[in-house]
């Protein structure tokens, strides 16, 4: 069963189409990583899903039903910028959450506060951006939600706490929860997500199971002495899926025979040639660049 | 979240109460200072004025205490006292009447809680109105206590048949101002405090412009309509003595119905517009 189902979502702000015919499904108990450059429509998608913004078209459902206030008994959301009342302190926020949710878990909240070393007596406006994000995460995870929607959950956090967030996401999924999150930390998405989607200009340009997407694709990266690189027939080589050039750096994406391409680059006078396994970062940059063109 | 609004109203009420208590404290201190030996005797009774001369001769001076001591009973009209909490509670209502607008920066936090927007707004309003009622009662209690504290048991509060209506309309003015300001600010994405700051002078300008026919019947009619949502247009003739304008000329029950009705309508408009707002 789909924990989250978005079909043909369209949302515009004035003449700007923020989300363009987006269809996305997330299985129950899985982790879905949504990637995209700034302004690609990730936050707008989450807002439409949660009823915070009105879609122009499309169908949205969480656990088979449209979102209603009752949905938030088991769905937690952490927005892009930690949205907290800056005049209240952490303890006030936890108390407000305790009163708002039937399933609020005080012991879990205390455990998370200790993990993030939060000072609950401090007013939110006195907390650093990372501490505010941490408090928002404590609020989100302390109801032990079945569905978590996290928009940049590591924003402002140092690498130690980014790892904590990663563990929390993996732990939530291991406990049967569903997590959808966006992040600029591509490594984090690669570690946690079962499936990924890449958004560019409001469109989903790539989606799928991470291992399947990667396949056994390789990247051959060549650095040439000058920017005027004549690739000749290499650009049309059937073994190469596609090729990109950024100044003196040329990258070829391919499924087979990387050695032959290395030899070809060397033949063209490359200063250095390296072969990599395709990473999510490569896929992300490649998808966004292709879309940009 | 209703608890957030409870904390906010409590915070504003505590500050408000401190200011009120300090003002009352200063009032009492200045009264007792005037009564102390060597204190300033503030009341001068002028008994004669020289004919054809600009000089005024002050032949006798008494302290306030001397004057009041000569009275066996000091009657104080309750209706007059009731105007003090009416005005102060209206000021307090201004402080908390942007409760929905204030949440514009945290909509993603409060709209993702298991409570509908309408119910949430209603809980906010109930909390706000409880705060206004408390402010009204606090000021009323102090306004009654001060004469007794300064003049003693000879104070005699004089109530009449209008007094309950004055109290109802007094709270109604604060409630109506609250409802109007909520309707004006709930939809607004900017700082609602700016609208509140503008609303006070605007209400008085509307009221006073409407006292004249100088702009012709069309403008006068427009002002009459605009003053329908101006709570100050309902109470300036509250004592039913002399200055009757606009809706203050209506009977007290009709005024009460209009004021409470418009306040409720304002709150309903605020909820409807808040319901449509996007985070």
């Amino acid at each position: 069963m789909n924990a989250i189902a978005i079909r043909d979502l369209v949302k515009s702000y004035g003449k700007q189409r923020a989300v363009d015919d987006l269809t996305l499904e997330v299985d129950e108990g899985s982790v879905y990583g949504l990637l995209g450059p700034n302004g690609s429509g990730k936050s707008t998608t989450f807002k439409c899903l949660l009823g915070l913004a009105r879609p122009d078209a499309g169908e949205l459902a969480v656990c088979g039903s449209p979102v209603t206030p009752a949905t938030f008994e088991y769905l937690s959301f952490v927005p892009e910028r930690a949205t907290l009342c800056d005049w209240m302190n952490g303890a006030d926020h936890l108390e407000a959450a305790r009163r708002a949710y039937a399933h609020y878990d005080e012991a879990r909240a205390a455990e998370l506060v200790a993990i993030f070393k939060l000072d609950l007596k401090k007013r939110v406006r006195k907390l650093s951006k990372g501490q505010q994000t941490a408090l928002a995460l404590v609020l989100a995870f302390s109801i032990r939600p079945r569905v978590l929607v996290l928009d940049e959950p590591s924003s402002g956090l140092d690498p130690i706490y980014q790892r904590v967030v990663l563990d929390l996401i993996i732990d939530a999924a291991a406990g049967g929860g569903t997590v959808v999150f966006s992040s600029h930390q591509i490594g984090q998405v690669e570690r946690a997500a079962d499936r990924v989607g890449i958004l560019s200009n409001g469109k989903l340009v790539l989606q799928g199971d991470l291992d399947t997407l990667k396949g056994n694709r390789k990247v051959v990266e060549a650095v040439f002495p000058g920017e005027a690189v004549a690739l000749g027939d290499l650009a049309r080589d059937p073994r190469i899926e596609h090729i990109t050039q950024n100044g003196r750096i040329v990258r070829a994406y391919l499924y087979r025979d990387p050695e032959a391409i290395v030899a070809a680059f060397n033949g063209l006078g490359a200063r250095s040639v390296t072969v990599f396994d395709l990473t999510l970062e490569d896929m992300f940059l490649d998808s966004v660049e292709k879309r940009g063109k | 979240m209703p608890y957030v609004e409870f904390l906010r109203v409590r915070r504003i009420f505590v500050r408000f109460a401190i200011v009120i208590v300090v003002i009352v404290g200063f009032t009492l201190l200045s009264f007792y200072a005037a009564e102390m030996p060597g204190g300033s005797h503030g009341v001068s009774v002028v008994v004669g004025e020289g004919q054809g001369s600009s000089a005024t001769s002050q032949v006798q001076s008494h302290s306030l205490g001397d004057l009041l001591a000569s009275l066996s009973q000091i009657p104080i009209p309750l209706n007059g006292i009731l105007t003090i909490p009416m005005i102060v509670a209206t000021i307090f209502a201004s402080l908390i009447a942007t409760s929905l607008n204030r949440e514009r920066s945290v909509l993603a936090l409060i709209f993702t809680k298991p409570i509908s927007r309408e119910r949430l707004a209603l809980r906010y309003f109930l909390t706000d109105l409880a705060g206004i009622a408390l402010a009204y009662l606090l000021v009323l209690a102090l306004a009654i206590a001060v004469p007794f504290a300064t003049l003693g048991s000879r104070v005699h509060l004089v109530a009449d048949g209008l007094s309950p209506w004055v109290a109802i309309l007094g709270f109604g003015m604060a409630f109506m101002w609250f409802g109007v300001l909520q309707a004006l600010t709930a939809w607004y994405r900017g700082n609602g405090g700016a609208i509140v700051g503008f609303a006070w002078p605007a209400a008085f300008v509307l009221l006073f412009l409407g006292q004249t026919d100088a702009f012709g019947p069309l403008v006068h009619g427009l002002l009459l309509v605009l003053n329908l949502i101006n709570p100050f247009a309902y109470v300036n003739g509250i004592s039913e003595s002399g200055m009757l304008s606009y809706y203050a000329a209506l009977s007290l029950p009709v005024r009460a119905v209009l004021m409470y009705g418009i306040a409720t309508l304002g709150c309903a408009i605020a909820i409807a517009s808040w319901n449509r707002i996007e985070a």
Side-chain angles (χ1 to χ4, degrees):
Chain A
M1 182 186 170
N2 290 327
I4 290 172
I6 300 173
R7 287 193 189 90
D8 309 321
L9 175 65
V10 177
K11 172 69 181 173
S12 299
Y13 292 106
K15 288 180 181 172
Q16 177 71 33
R17 187 160 276 206
V19 182
D20 191 0
D21 204 21
L22 175 74
T23 295
L24 184 156
E25 288 175 348
V26 182
D27 294 336
E28 227 171 39
S30 70
V31 179
Y32 189 100
L34 195 58
L35 292 168
N38 292 331
S40 59
K42 304 185 295 291
S43 298
T44 305
T45 302
F46 290 155
K47 283 179 183 176
C48 289
L49 175 69
L50 302 173
L52 296 170
R54 275 184 303 279
D56 301 328
E59 291 173 32
L60 303 116
V62 173
C63 297
S65 309
V67 169
T68 65
T71 308
F72 294 108
E73 274 293 357
Y74 58 83
L75 185 152
S76 279
F77 175 51
V78 175
E80 187 179 8
R81 283 178 292 119
T83 305
L84 301 162
C85 299
D86 63 356
W87 55 274
M88 282 166 56
N89 62 25
D92 290 335
H93 277 91
L94 292 184
E95 177 60 16
R98 189 186 69 75
R99 289 165 182 253
Y101 294 104
H103 303 107
Y104 179 76
D105 186 338
E106 276 185 74
R108 177 67 169 156
E111 187 188 331
L112 292 167
V113 165
I115 289 172
F116 284 110
K117 297 188 177 73
L118 278 172
D119 181 354
L120 293 179
K121 289 179 184 161
K122 262 192 183 175
R123 287 207 175 157
V124 166
R125 69 166 68 104
K126 304 243 174 183
L127 297 175
S128 69
K129 187 170 181 263
Q131 287 171 319
Q132 291 183 18
T133 302
L135 179 56
L137 287 163
V138 170
L139 294 169
F141 280 89
S142 57
I143 63 162
R144 295 191 181 277
R146 277 164 54 199
V147 180
L148 271 152
V149 179
L150 312 173
D151 195 359
E152 304 286 351
S154 299
S155 176
L157 291 175
D158 65 31
I160 296 166
Y161 288 124
Q162 284 177 17
R163 178 55 63 89
V164 171
V165 174
L166 183 71
D167 291 346
L168 285 172
I169 291 171
I170 294 169
D171 180 63
T178 306
V179 184
V180 181
F181 75 112
S182 72
S183 180
H184 288 302
Q185 309 287 330
I186 294 178
Q188 197 177 48
V189 176
E190 199 158 19
R191 291 282 294 272
D194 305 310
R195 278 168 65 81
V196 293
I198 297 175
L199 271 176
S200 181
N201 295 329
K203 275 197 176 295
L204 198 60
V205 291
L206 190 72
Q207 179 177 224
D209 176 83
L210 196 52
D211 294 332
T212 310
L213 286 175
K214 281 184 180 175
N216 54 358
R217 288 163 80 193
K218 305 281 184 193
V219 183
V220 181
E221 184 180 278
V223 180
F224 288 86
E227 292 191 4
V229 183
L231 294 172
D233 290 341
L234 193 61
R236 290 182 292 278
D237 190 309
R239 289 169 298 191
I240 295 175
E241 187 185 296
H242 70 277
I243 200 159
T244 65
Q245 184 177 354
N246 186 8
R248 64 178 71 191
I249 304 165
V250 179
R251 293 188 184 92
Y253 296 79
L254 55 149
Y255 283 101
R256 57 195 165 89
D257 291 341
E259 297 80 8
I261 305 303
V262 170
F265 276 140
N266 282 328
L268 289 170
R271 182 181 286 172
S272 67
V273 183
T274 319
V275 181
F276 301 102
D277 285 331
L278 189 78
T279 62
L280 183 57
E281 186 178 358
D282 294 317
M283 281 193 279
F284 169 72
L285 292 172
D286 183 39
S287 304
V288 172
E289 277 169 13
K290 271 197 278 190
R291 175 79 184 162
K293 286 169 189 171
Chain B
M1 294 175 282
Y3 182 67
V4 172
E5 187 56 11
F6 165 74
L7 291 179
R8 182 182 288 129
V9 171
R10 187 181 71 179
R11 185 163 161 256
I12 295 171
F13 182 80
V14 166
R15 291 176 183 184
F16 163 84
I18 289 169
V19 170
I20 295 296
V21 168
V22 166
I23 290 170
V24 169
F26 272 118
T27 307
L28 292 175
L29 273 177
S30 53
F31 179 86
Y32 290 125
E35 288 308 295
M36 282 169 68
S40 73
H41 290 190
V43 176
S44 296
V45 181
V46 178
V47 294
E49 197 170 331
Q51 287 283 337
S53 164
S54 62
T56 300
S57 58
Q58 188 171 309
V59 296
Q60 196 177 354
S61 180
H62 294 281
S63 74
L64 181 60
D66 294 338
L67 282 173
L68 294 171
S70 63
L71 301 168
S72 61
Q73 210 174 44
I74 304 165
I76 294 182
L78 182 60
N79 292 355
I81 293 237
L82 284 168
T83 59
I84 298 170
M86 175 183 78
I87 293 162
V88 180
T90 304
I91 293 169
F92 182 79
S94 302
L95 301 177
I96 58 171
T98 54
S99 50
L100 299 188
N101 169 267
R102 278 173 198 236
E103 302 295 50
R104 69 198 180 282
S105 60
V106 291
L107 290 176
L109 176 74
I110 59 167
F111 283 171
T112 51
K113 294 288 174 285
I115 180 169
S116 71
R117 294 186 186 190
E118 296 90 345
R119 208 163 146 230
L120 187 63
L122 276 175
R123 296 278 297 271
Y124 271 43
F125 289 167
L126 288 176
T127 308
D128 294 342
L129 289 174
I132 294 171
L134 267 180
Y136 185 92
L137 292 174
L138 171 74
V139 176
L140 177 62
L142 289 171
I144 291 172
V146 166
F148 283 98
T150 51
L151 305 174
S153 58
R154 286 172 303 124
V155 168
H156 173 60
L157 285 177
V158 182
D160 58 28
L162 288 176
S163 297
W165 285 108
V166 176
I168 289 168
L169 263 63
F171 183 77
M173 182 158 117
F175 180 30
M176 184 174 168
W177 195 227
F178 173 83
V180 168
L181 292 178
Q182 285 286 7
L184 289 174
T185 59
W187 60 274
Y188 184 51
R189 295 193 77 85
N191 184 357
I195 291 179
V196 174
F198 175 76
W200 273 91
F204 285 106
V205 167
L206 275 179
L207 191 66
F208 288 111
L209 281 180
Q211 303 281 355
T212 170
D213 277 334
F215 305 107
L218 189 68
V219 174
H220 189 74
L222 181 69
L223 288 167
L224 192 70
V225 172
L226 284 175
N227 272 302
L228 188 68
I229 58 163
N230 182 358
F232 301 100
Y234 291 80
V235 291
N236 60 356
I238 203 161
S239 64
E240 299 202 336
S241 59
M243 188 181 169
L244 291 174
S245 67
Y246 290 114
Y247 309 104
L250 299 169
S251 72
L252 288 164
V254 171
R255 274 193 268 170
V257 167
L258 274 173
M259 291 177 86
Y260 281 81
I262 289 169
T264 308
L265 182 66
C267 291
I269 291 169
I271 292 174
S273 57
W274 201 50
N275 206 14
R276 291 190 54 76
I277 208 164
E278 294 192 12

